[in-house]
Amino acid sequence: MTTPFYVSPQQAMADRAEYARKGIARGRSVVVLQYADGILFVAENPSRALHKVSEIYDRIAFAAVGKYNEFENLRIGGVRYADLRGYTYDRDDVTARGLANVYAQTLGTIFSSAAEKPYEVELIVAEVGDGPEDDQIYRLPHDGSIVDEHGSVAVGGNADQISSYLDQRHREGLTLAEALKLAVESLARDNNGGERSLTAEQLEVAVLDRTRPQQRKFKRVLGRQLARLLESEGAAAEADSAAEGESSAEESSDTEE
């Protein structure tokens, strides 16, 4: 009789974590960051049918990377939880913190179970408040832990490099156009430090806009509105470079005099 191969629980969990991380890293990145009037979601996603960013409830949105069928199941479960809780109690009782706890329990149970493989997903749950100080952003890795994020966060792909870029450049009080420009710049950076060009057709963009008069604050930024925002970024960059050129020309003429 052969002796069964033994793997320590610590090694088994490490292998499961590595398996999940590799699956998540193969996906394209998603960036979430705060701006003056709410929370912006930007994903590199050429598909117009398979969304990475979705509405969950009045002030709550969901973003995910990884295997689509797995995070879509989680999204549907989150919508059902929010609808049931809002109907049973009150709409104000549906919060991003409560939803993040539900997702954490689900992901943690699946990750710890030896009977099935871990989910290859990483989630972001965000809720827009009455002011920037009331906004909530939670990141949930594959193992069900919860990370309370502030300002900006990136998941999937080369998330570490993107997060470092955002941390250095994100500031409070950004306009929507400025926040979109920063998000696109961060997504356009590749692993070698170079930059790619991302068009509106390659982006999925949505916001939780606290200034909307409707109870539901989620809105997708599509078509002409997205193109105008991206064009305004290019126009602003050209204006800045022109101003810098004029300034340097004036300085050189002053020096010659």
Side-chain angles (χ1 to χ4, degrees):
M1 181 176 178
T2 59
T3 304
F5 184 71
Y6 173 77
V7 178
S8 68
Q10 182 179 5
Q11 183 61 46
M13 297 303 283
D15 290 343
R16 291 170 68 83
E18 183 66 17
Y19 171 84
R21 279 195 293 266
K22 286 182 177 179
I24 294 166
R26 285 193 292 267
R28 294 185 176 95
S29 302
V30 175
V31 169
V32 178
L33 64 162
Q34 292 176 273
Y35 70 103
D37 293 330
I39 301 174
L40 171 68
F41 301 77
V42 183
E44 185 180 352
N45 182 16
S47 174
R48 289 295 170 264
L50 307 178
H51 295 301
K52 291 186 173 183
V53 180
S54 300
E55 179 184 26
I56 295 291
Y57 210 60
D58 295 343
R59 291 173 167 265
I60 303 173
F62 165 100
V65 293
K67 296 198 71 172
Y68 177 79
N69 65 311
E70 293 178 348
F71 70 67
E72 179 66 6
N73 284 336
L74 292 170
R75 183 194 69 83
I76 293 171
V79 171
R80 289 172 176 165
Y81 160 83
D83 283 344
L84 180 60
R85 187 169 182 83
Y87 178 77
T88 306
Y89 300 101
D90 187 87
R91 299 186 78 89
D92 292 337
D93 290 329
V94 183
T95 64
R97 183 181 303 171
L99 182 62
N101 286 331
V102 172
Y103 281 145
Q105 293 173 23
T106 302
L107 288 172
T109 300
I110 293 171
F111 182 75
S112 302
S113 173
E116 56 183 319
K117 77 171 189 64
Y119 270 17
E120 300 169 61
V121 298
E122 190 163 6
L123 313 180
I124 296 176
V125 177
E127 178 179 0
V128 67
D130 294 330
E133 66 280 359
D134 301 318
D135 292 344
Q136 300 177 42
I137 302 175
Y138 300 101
R139 178 171 62 86
L140 293 99
H142 54 275
D143 60 358
S145 56
I146 302 178
V147 183
D148 186 6
E149 301 284 358
H150 300 279
S152 62
V153 59
V155 293
N158 55 333
D160 292 339
Q161 181 180 345
I162 293 174
S163 295
S164 177
Y165 185 87
L166 291 172
D167 290 341
Q168 295 172 11
R169 291 162 176 79
H170 182 267
R171 57 179 173 80
E172 296 183 1
L174 291 173
T175 65
L176 177 56
E178 290 171 339
L180 179 59
K181 176 183 178 182
L182 177 59
V184 173
E185 286 176 350
S186 67
L187 289 172
R189 300 180 67 83
D190 57 31
N191 291 326
N192 299 322
E195 292 188 6
R196 300 171 294 136
S197 177
L198 294 176
T199 64
E201 290 72 26
Q202 296 172 282
L203 299 172
E204 179 183 356
V205 181
V207 293
L208 285 170
D209 185 354
R210 77 177 97 257
T211 65
R212 294 192 83 195
Q214 299 97 321
Q215 194 169 29
R216 296 170 62 181
K217 306 300 182 183
F218 182 86
K219 180 178 70 173
R220 294 193 182 277
V221 182
L222 303 167
R224 293 181 180 178
Q225 183 184 8
L226 178 57
R228 282 198 302 269
L229 285 169
L230 293 173
E231 288 171 4
S232 68
E233 295 165 13
E238 290 177 4
D240 290 342
S241 61
E244 289 176 4
E246 291 176 2
S247 175
S248 60
E250 290 175 359
E251 289 175 2
S252 61
S253 65
D254 290 342
T255 305
E256 291 174 0
E257 291 177 359

